[in-house]
Amino acid sequence: MSNFLTGRVKSLKYALRGMILLLKTEHAVISQFSIALVFIVLGFYFEISRMEWIIQLLLMGLVLAVESVNTAIEKLCDYIQPEFHSRIGFIKDISAGAVSFAVIFTIIIAAIIYFPYIF
């Protein structure tokens, strides 16, 4: 049991380190995180409902997670093939497309949440 707990603590340490690295070095993650902070402020300002908070926070986490995975895929691709290669470009485009899906649907849902408060 002690090894299990030690392993979980180490995993948590590495995960937190990864989050900090993303927030310090990756402009896309920094941008997404900044936008999330703006929507947190808007949520308090408009006093959105508990369910709207849950949906908003879930979407923020989704976008940040997908953006983080996209960053990892891009870094791995650049490590494997530093020079331009069409297959690597295809992989990176698909990964960026996944982020775009998450962002587009998040924008739509944010509009549904905030439209009644603004108009």
Side-chain angles (χ1 to χ4, degrees), residues 87-114:
R87 284 185 176 173
I88 294 293
F90 182 78
I91 292 166
K92 290 168 85 171
D93 289 347
I94 289 172
S95 183
V99 176
S100 297
F101 275 129
V103 169
I104 288 168
F105 284 94
T106 296
I107 290 169
I108 292 168
I109 293 169
I112 292 168
I113 291 172
Y114 285 99

Side-chain angles (χ1 to χ4, degrees), residues 5-19:
L5 292 176
T6 302
R8 300 300 60 85
V9 170
K10 284 183 181 180
S11 294
L12 181 60
K13 181 180 96 172
Y14 296 135
L16 291 173
R17 180 174 171 243
M19 290 169 63

Side-chain angles (χ1 to χ4, degrees), residues 3 5 14 32 36-38 52 61 66-67 70 76 89 111:
N3 286 340
L5 292 176
Y14 296 135
Q32 299 291 2
L37 291 177
V38 168
E52 290 167 334
V66 175
E67 185 66 63
N70 174 53
L76 183 59

Side-chain angles (χ1 to χ4, degrees), residues 10-111:
K10 284 183 181 180
S11 294
L12 181 60
K13 181 180 96 172
Y14 296 135
L16 291 173
R17 180 174 171 243
M19 290 169 63
I20 291 167
L21 284 171
L22 284 163
L23 288 169
K24 282 185 173 181
T25 64
E26 297 304 319
H27 296 290
V29 175
I30 294 166
S31 297
Q32 299 291 2
F33 188 77
S34 298
I35 292 167
L37 291 177
V38 168
F39 275 92
I40 288 171
V41 170
L42 287 173
F44 283 115
Y45 178 78
F46 288 114
E47 298 179 355
I48 62 176
S49 72
R50 178 179 291 195
M51 186 55 66
E52 290 167 334
W53 270 113
I54 291 168
I55 293 167
Q56 177 171 286
L57 291 171
L58 181 63
L59 291 172
M60 289 174 187
L62 173 70
V63 169
L64 286 168
V66 175
E67 185 66 63
S68 299
V69 171
N70 174 53
T71 298
I73 290 169
E74 288 183 352
K75 298 286 185 192
L76 183 59
C77 286
D78 291 344
Y79 179 76
I80 292 170
Q81 181 64 43
E83 304 299 320
F84 174 80
H85 192 282
S86 60
R87 284 185 176 173
I88 294 293
F90 182 78
I91 292 166
K92 290 168 85 171
D93 289 347
I94 289 172
S95 183
V99 176
S100 297
F101 275 129
V103 169
I104 288 168
F105 284 94
T106 296
I107 290 169
I108 292 168
I109 293 169

